[in-house]
Amino acid sequence: MPRRSRDEMENEDDYEEVSTPEEVQANTTADDEVLRDQVGLDNVVNQVIRIVLGKDMKTQVFKREHIPSELNIRAIGFDKVIQEVNRRLKLIYGLSLEELDAPKESTKKRSKQQFAIVSSLTSEDRLFLGELWSNSVDTVYNDKTVSDTQYFLPSHKQSATPGTNTAMVKLGVMFLVISCIIVSENHISETELFETLKSFGISKNVNIRNSNYGMNLTELISEFVKSDYITKEIIKGNTESENTFTFSLGKRSLLELSPQDVYNYIKIIWGKKFDQVEAGKTIITIERVYQVSLKNEFEENITSSNNEENEAINQEGNNA
């Protein structure tokens, strides 16, 4: 029986192309190499994620030099690793690894790149998660609710209950510090900052440590500076003892906090003191620092202020 040609077999269902032994060996080798590369990448990425999250827990920035040499990141490529780290952080944790400094062409300068973890969640997502958290820990051992003004005060000593959560208390103080800096047009002296914080009940006495985070105010501010949330500038005097210090917003604050969020924080913290004059100064400062426009927020604040004034006038008229 004559052998059928390939053309005759192409339209038949039972035709199956058979690879040669050499082709099978080549495909197997290629698949093994891809698998080894993927396993190697997974191992490096997992290690880098642990380092990144560990640094963030200590409120420290992540630097390229923090990656151990034994991981041999050069074989894979730093940019490829960071890209995969970012993908997994967003997918699993809702976080993003952002560079604090713009990329430099110089290799030496690139080795000093700094990164910080920021939330990649939308405002709506963060609000939803915040509501879930608040509902689950609405009360703590001291029977205070989240809305209670003394919710964050410990019943006795430092504890691990939600009411004395170290990270939350630090975050609250940080928002207050950032608000003070913005209201002072992104430039405030150490003396003025400490006096303002004192009016909010935060002692500037170096001998007084807050029981929630075990630091005095000077140490806490230093931590914010080290984490790049705020920037500290030294103005030298004739002697070292005559040196003065000023603070402004750090790069990490600009990455983590949107201009709208900063405006809303300040509006809430300052309360009734946040009049049209303060709102105008605040918006101008935010626009200059973030290089954005907050015209709508300013117009809404004026409208809100006018409505409150009209309501107060009407209330006085009704009482009369």
Side-chain angles (χ1 to χ4, degrees), residues 259-260 263-264 267 274-287 293-306:
Q260 289 78 14
Y263 179 84
N264 291 333
K267 190 175 180 180
F274 196 70
D275 54 21
Q276 293 184 25
V277 175
E278 291 296 334
K281 286 172 27 181
T282 299
I283 288 174
I284 290 174
T285 302
I286 293 176
E287 288 180 335
S293 175
L294 292 179
K295 182 180 179 182
N296 292 336
E297 279 75 6
F298 184 55
E299 291 176 349
E300 289 176 2
N301 185 78
I302 293 177
T303 302
S304 176
S305 298
N306 290 337

Side-chain angles (χ1 to χ4, degrees), residues 53-251:
L53 294 177
K55 292 294 180 183
D56 186 67
M57 286 293 292
K58 299 177 182 178
T59 64
Q60 298 174 357
V61 297
F62 165 72
K63 299 179 182 179
R64 184 172 180 170
E65 61 193 38
H66 291 151
I67 301 177
S69 58
E70 55 265 26
L71 289 182
N72 194 20
I73 197 171
R74 289 185 178 180
I76 302 174
F78 179 76
D79 293 338
K80 183 177 180 180
V81 171
I82 292 300
Q83 183 179 4
E84 181 61 20
V85 166
N86 241 332
R87 187 188 72 82
R88 297 189 190 184
L89 285 174
K90 291 179 180 178
L91 179 65
I92 300 172
Y93 301 101
L95 300 171
S96 175
L97 191 63
E98 300 291 342
E99 188 174 356
L100 293 177
D101 298 311
K104 306 293 193 305
E105 295 181 0
S106 171
T107 304
K108 292 182 179 180
K109 291 183 178 180
R110 280 182 62 85
S111 65
K112 297 182 180 180
Q113 286 174 282
Q114 296 184 343
F115 299 84
I117 285 184
V118 300
S119 173
S120 62
L121 299 176
T122 64
S123 299
E124 291 76 12
D125 291 337
R126 291 199 298 270
L127 180 61
F128 176 72
L129 291 175
E131 290 176 348
L132 286 180
W133 186 90
S134 297
N135 290 336
S136 62
V137 294
D138 187 50
T139 59
V140 291
Y141 296 139
N142 54 18
D143 295 326
K144 294 184 175 65
T145 62
V146 174
S147 59
D148 196 310
T149 55
Q150 294 184 333
Y151 176 77
F152 292 106
L153 296 179
S155 297
H156 301 288
K157 296 182 179 179
Q158 183 178 2
S159 65
T161 64
T164 57
N165 185 282
T166 299
M168 288 185 62
V169 176
K170 282 185 179 179
L171 189 64
V173 177
M174 187 187 74
F175 285 150
L176 178 56
V177 170
I178 290 174
S179 299
C180 293
I181 292 174
I182 289 292
V183 169
S184 298
E185 302 179 19
N186 198 35
H187 187 84
I188 187 172
S189 68
E190 183 180 57
T191 301
E192 184 181 355
L193 175 61
F194 282 21
E195 286 298 326
T196 304
L197 294 176
K198 182 181 177 181
S199 67
F200 283 90
I202 302 176
S203 175
K204 62 180 181 179
N205 190 330
V206 295
N207 296 318
I208 297 179
R209 294 176 179 270
N210 187 288
S211 61
N212 290 288
Y213 42 81
M215 296 181 182
N216 59 39
L217 180 56
T218 301
E219 292 168 339
L220 184 60
I221 294 296
S222 296
E223 182 173 301
F224 294 156
V225 172
K226 185 177 180 180
S227 304
D228 214 8
Y229 283 111
I230 60 177
T231 300
K232 184 177 182 179
E233 181 180 353
I234 302 175
I235 302 176
K236 293 187 176 181
N238 295 327
T239 62
E240 187 175 347
S241 61
E242 294 178 352
N243 291 348
T244 57
F245 307 97
T246 60
F247 298 95
S248 57
L249 285 192
K251 297 174 184 176

